[in-house]
Amino acid sequence: DAGITQSPRHKVTETGTPVTLRCHQTENHRYMYWYRQDPGHGLRLIHYSYGVKDTDKGEVSDGYSVSRSKTEDFLLTLESATSSQTSVYFCATGTGQMNTEAFFGQGTRLTVV
Amino acid sequence: DQQVKQNSPSLSVQEGRISILNCDYTNSMFDYFLWYKKYPAEGPTFLISISSIKDKNEDGRFTVFLNKSAKHLSLHIVPSQPGDSAVYFCAARPRTGANNLFFGTGTRLTVIP
């Protein structure tokens, strides 16, 4: 299994405050992803990265930004958290090679009150 | 718009019987399909995959079938075991463009002892 660590695992924050979630990998995978999981929606891609400093938007990117300054770290920032961003966030990594899977971290449960 | 659909939110099966989980997709550019299994408070873990050049892939108790003309795939688990109780996500990757996975909404499988 790929070594993927998400921190924090749980967080409660107030509306309007900035929040940063961290994903750290030890597998040297080129691709890293941030997904959110919500009831009735499955997992939806927020942002992804295909290399250091190379990032792009996913299907639900509004209100989120990301940064990747090192291969092993991918940060997700909520500049001003809203209640609609209460969710479980998963980081994933992959090699980017054809017909390969993505590996997921254990998730961060974020509650915005 | 959900490009990968799992229309059954839940499924209950007796231990030892077959579990069949279904998934439909709309994007004809998808050419790699995966199933993930998710236990509560854990990240999704890869289970089995299939390329669009095949119509069946088998791994132990798990078999995935792909019907490209119907844009439908299914996961068969036989015999089902109580430890198989989890949420199962279908996912698909397009052959071109970004190296992203599109997920269904998940099916909760309960295997009754």
Side-chain angles (χ1 to χ4, degrees):
Chain A
D1 286 348
I4 304 170
T5 306
Q6 292 185 230
S7 59
R9 293 293 313 280
H10 302 271
K11 186 170 182 66
V12 180
T13 192
E14 293 186 351
T15 298
T17 60
V19 177
T20 296
L21 307 183
R22 180 176 183 252
C23 178
H24 178 80
Q25 59 138 336
T26 58
E27 297 299 312
N28 201 35
H29 285 165
R30 179 185 173 195
Y31 281 78
M32 297 186 75
Y33 312 85
W34 277 107
Y35 286 88
R36 60 179 288 175
Q37 184 196 3
D38 303 289
H41 291 278
L43 290 104
R44 293 179 293 174
L45 183 66
I46 305 171
H47 281 279
Y48 67 99
S49 168
Y50 46 96
V52 174
K53 292 184 169 39
D54 293 323
T55 65
D56 207 346
K57 297 178 180 180
E59 51 187 316
V60 289
S61 60
D62 287 349
Y64 302 94
S65 62
V66 290
S67 66
R68 191 166 178 203
S69 59
K70 297 186 289 185
T71 298
E72 56 266 36
D73 291 327
F74 193 33
L75 304 181
L76 176 70
T77 298
L78 291 66
E79 300 291 346
S80 178
T82 67
S83 58
S84 65
Q85 294 175 312
T86 293
S87 186
V88 181
Y89 291 86
F90 289 100
C91 174
T93 72
T95 63
Q97 295 176 356
M98 290 294 293
N99 295 353
T100 59
E101 67 269 29
F103 301 88
F104 282 82
Q106 291 195 299
T108 295
R109 180 172 293 277
L110 176 67
T111 302
V112 183
V113 297
Chain B
D1 188 27
Q2 196 81 25
Q3 298 186 55
V4 179
K5 301 178 183 179
Q6 294 177 256
N7 293 319
S8 298
S10 63
L11 174 69
S12 291
V13 172
Q14 288 289 134
E15 180 178 5
R17 305 295 290 268
I18 186 171
S19 296
I20 300 176
L21 294 89
N22 293 303
C23 178
D24 297 294
Y25 61 95
T26 58
N27 189 340
S28 58
M29 295 297 285
F30 288 148
D31 74 343
Y32 187 61
F33 304 89
L34 309 89
W35 286 93
Y36 281 82
K37 178 179 181 179
K38 185 183 179 306
Y39 292 120
E42 294 185 10
T45 55
F46 170 73
L47 188 58
I48 192 169
S49 63
I50 188 167
S51 167
S52 60
I53 62 173
K54 297 184 176 180
D55 55 18
K56 177 182 174 181
N57 188 29
E58 192 171 356
D59 184 3
R61 296 185 298 115
F62 303 91
T63 302
V64 56
F65 295 92
L66 175 63
N67 182 335
K68 290 187 291 293
S69 61
K71 293 191 176 66
H72 177 84
L73 65 155
S74 61
L75 174 68
H76 292 209
I77 306 173
V78 57
S80 300
Q81 300 174 352
D84 296 329
S85 296
V87 176
Y88 289 77
F89 290 100
C90 172
R93 171 176 287 150
R95 70 175 68 94
T96 60
N99 189 262
N100 301 332
L101 290 174
F102 292 81
F103 283 84
T105 51
T107 296
R108 182 178 301 278
L109 174 66
T110 302
V111 180
I112 303 165

